[in-house]
Amino acid sequence: MHSHPIKRTLTLGAILAIACIPAQSVQAAPAPFPEKAGKLAIASCPETAISSGGIPRTREYLQAVMKCLDKSWGAYVARTRWTFRKPVVLYFEEPQSTVCGVPWPEHAAAFYCTERSTLVFPLTGRWIEDRTDLFPFKVAAHEYGHHLQSLTGVRRVYEARVRTERGRQDELKRRYELQADCLAGVFLGSVWGSLDRTERDWEALVDATQASGDDGDDYRSHGKGSTRVYWLKRGYRAHSPAACDTWSAPAAKVS
């Protein structure tokens, strides 16, 4: 059985901390991941049990996924001009009053603290408890995508554009988040053969991703469900981070 998709019960994304970057440093768009770096190598990343004997094993589950992410993306970044650094990872049994020096984001599940290169994972909550689908796996890969955006300079240019293109802030945020969805798809595609999963499991993940869209929300920061699914599938099929250039995609593809 699979958990039912959750409609906007969590916010996947980074904590924004807009940097003071001179206007002259703003580029036309964040540089996509280079074609010459190739695809993410096919790798093995079997899931551990997310619970055992009725006891939650969410920390162990996430630690195993993080180990795979570090190995796969570390090898990829080594083929670029960037320097790879593992993110700091913090695990919490329950949300705290503050994290990374700021108030805990309201309604957030997992998230990335850009200023401290830190992934934050609550070990409880509907995003991860009692789930049998791949949604927690995808969430971890999405947040890791934000770490990659910081490592490769995408985050820096995104922040500069937000400062100078104030009328497009929501759209720029969606391009940023949808790129992380695509990078999560790249990772999922690279390890899919090692997961003990079926086509029905993939369909369940697509359904959960569709349900996490911000259709109809006043603040549309992550993209409609269908748009999130498009970029997840694009990365999954391509295995290549170069396919995740949301920055030059037409507006209809980042709605």
Side-chain angles (χ1 to χ4, degrees):
M1 294 179 62
H2 302 292
S3 302
H4 294 294
I6 298 174
K7 177 64 177 176
R8 298 302 296 159
T9 58
L10 52 86
T11 300
L12 304 180
I15 299 173
L16 298 184
I18 305 302
C20 295
I21 301 176
Q24 60 267 28
S25 70
V26 180
Q27 302 172 17
F33 290 79
E35 290 272 5
K36 65 181 181 181
K39 297 182 178 182
L40 199 65
I42 301 299
S44 177
C45 188
E47 291 180 277
T48 65
I50 205 164
S51 65
S52 178
I55 300 174
R57 303 290 185 189
T58 50
R59 181 189 293 264
E60 292 87 344
Y61 180 93
L62 291 169
Q63 286 175 330
V65 178
M66 288 301 303
K67 184 177 181 180
C68 295
L69 285 161
D70 285 337
K71 184 176 181 180
S72 289
W73 285 115
Y76 171 82
V77 173
R79 301 197 300 271
T80 72
R81 66 187 182 92
W82 310 106
T83 300
F84 179 74
R85 297 183 303 277
K86 295 180 182 180
V88 177
V89 186
L90 300 178
Y91 302 95
F92 293 92
E93 292 296 335
E94 298 286 348
Q96 306 295 303
S97 58
T98 61
V99 63
C100 301
V102 298
W104 190 283
E106 188 178 2
H107 305 307
F111 51 91
Y112 179 67
C113 299
T114 59
E115 295 302 303
R116 301 191 182 186
S117 302
T118 299
L119 287 163
V120 178
F121 292 115
L123 300 176
T124 55
R126 294 181 65 191
W127 82 279
I128 195 167
E129 286 184 282
D130 302 318
R131 297 193 74 107
T132 59
D133 61 9
L134 277 163
F135 196 59
F137 197 100
K138 183 260 184 182
V139 169
H142 172 105
E143 298 308 328
Y144 205 99
H146 288 315
H147 180 62
L148 295 167
Q149 288 170 316
S150 290
L151 289 180
T152 58
V154 170
R155 175 73 192 189
R156 177 184 61 81
V157 180
Y158 159 67
E159 288 177 343
R161 292 188 67 187
V162 167
R163 289 178 61 83
T164 59
E165 302 175 41
R166 297 189 181 278
R168 299 180 61 211
Q169 289 181 353
D170 287 2
E171 178 196 325
L172 292 170
K173 182 62 160 54
R174 291 195 299 273
R175 291 182 186 276
Y176 177 75
E177 293 292 342
L178 291 167
Q179 185 174 51
D181 276 340
C182 183
L183 293 171
V186 170
F187 177 71
L188 274 160
S190 73
V191 300
W192 185 262
S194 67
L195 302 177
D196 187 19
R197 295 290 188 165
T198 66
E199 185 63 27
R200 291 183 64 185
D201 291 302
W202 172 251
E203 292 170 358
L205 176 60
V206 168
D207 288 344
T209 301
Q210 176 89 31
S212 69
D214 54 19
D215 309 63
D217 289 2
D218 292 334
Y219 174 46
R220 299 199 48 254
S221 60
H222 285 64
K224 294 187 295 187
S226 58
T227 309
R228 300 197 72 173
V229 167
Y230 169 82
W231 286 102
L232 177 71
K233 287 183 174 180
R234 182 178 174 89
Y236 176 83
R237 292 166 178 161
H239 289 196
S240 172
C244 299
D245 180 16
T246 56
W247 305 98
S248 61
K253 292 297 186 183
V254 294
S255 60

